[in-house]
Amino acid sequence: MRRAGFRGSGRPAGTREGLPVSRSALSTGTWCSPVGVLFAALLGYNPVRTLLGPEALAHLPSGHADYLTGRAFFPKLISEPFAGGLSIAFDFAIAACLVAAFASLLRGGRYVHGERTGEA
């Protein structure tokens, strides 16, 4: 099973563009909460420019810096881990529904409460 943030090369995302491994820690998700990442993606915000800082971006070739801070890198970075998490959540929901259906089946027929014949 592949770890989130690692692409087919087995290296953290961003190292291919010339970032040192310490700077590419953004691909492991340690820099921001998962909810923050989803809100950033939903709002169309790419936090990579802020996370790397101007000094790291200045050391990269302009094409690589443009790719990292552009509109394609961040969505591609989070799409695979998000899809995996969503798949796990739906698999759990299906399993829970099947367990509940089986428990309901074992319960038996419909139970009707009888009238009480108690004296006052």
Side-chain angles (χ1 to χ4, degrees), residues 23-97:
R23 282 287 185 176
S24 65
L26 64 98
S27 67
T28 61
T30 58
W31 54 273
C32 189
S33 72
V35 174
V37 169
L38 289 179
F39 275 118
L42 179 68
L43 296 174
Y45 174 69
N46 183 349
V48 175
R49 181 182 304 275
T50 305
L51 292 168
L52 295 178
E55 65 278 350
L57 290 173
H59 289 92
L60 295 174
S62 64
H64 294 281
D66 290 342
Y67 174 69
L68 287 172
T69 58
R71 299 182 70 110
F73 178 73
F74 187 64
K76 286 182 183 178
L77 182 69
I78 67 169
S79 64
E80 187 178 330
F82 180 71
L86 200 59
S87 175
I88 290 170
F90 279 118
D91 290 345
F92 176 77
I94 290 170
C97 286

